[in-house]
Amino acid sequence: YCVQEALYNMNGLTRGIDQINWLHHKFKTEVNCALVEHNIPLTLSKLRVLDVIAHTPHCRAKEIIEILGFSPRTVTEALDYLDIKGFILRKKSKENRKDKILSLTQRGDSILSIAIEIRMAKLHELIEPLTEEQLMQLIHLSDVLYNASRSFNS
């Protein structure tokens, strides 16, 4: 009985994780499509990189990697794209010449504001069926799982 109950709970948990993964990909696709529809030359991932730069004083690629959990290559490619598009500035750090301090250009700040509005509209569509209590539970549970997962050995 205990083994069957444990298997049932694990199947439910696995299904729940799969559903969260599906929701993440669906949300990402919806945001990316909406950005294209509004002629915003960003993906959700690049939007998130811009957002980190906007909210991190003296931001470097290292902070983006740590905050978003992206690979160094992904961050470098995103920064190269954002630089070419004129959304960011890279300035040499006074402390370490190899480090580049990242900041948004006026164009980057403008495009980020519009893209965040689009992302928030899609997020509201996603969470619309939830009551305020369910939303607070979701936020709490996702914080608990996220913080616990930070200790995983990779």
Side-chain angles (χ1 to χ4, degrees), residues 48-68 89 100-104 112:
R48 293 177 66 207
V49 170
L50 275 183
D51 200 30
V52 170
I53 294 169
H55 294 97
T56 307
H58 310 291
C59 185
R60 300 169 299 159
K62 179 181 177 182
E63 280 81 26
I64 298 168
I65 291 165
E66 289 173 3
I67 292 168
L68 296 179
L89 292 174
K100 300 277 194 282
I101 304 300
L102 306 165
S103 61
L104 297 186
L112 177 62

Side-chain angles (χ1 to χ4, degrees), residues 43-97:
T43 60
L44 179 58
S45 296
K46 289 179 181 74
L47 183 160
R48 293 177 66 207
V49 170
L50 275 183
D51 200 30
V52 170
I53 294 169
H55 294 97
T56 307
H58 310 291
C59 185
R60 300 169 299 159
K62 179 181 177 182
E63 280 81 26
I64 298 168
I65 291 165
E66 289 173 3
I67 292 168
L68 296 179
F70 289 175
S71 72
R73 180 179 179 163
T74 298
V75 170
T76 299
E77 289 173 358
L79 292 175
D80 289 346
Y81 176 85
L82 297 170
D83 192 12
I84 289 167
K85 288 294 187 181
F87 297 149
I88 64 168
L89 292 174
R90 295 172 169 173
K91 293 184 181 175
K92 289 184 180 175
S93 170
K94 293 175 184 172
E95 293 83 35
N96 182 348
R97 288 184 23 218

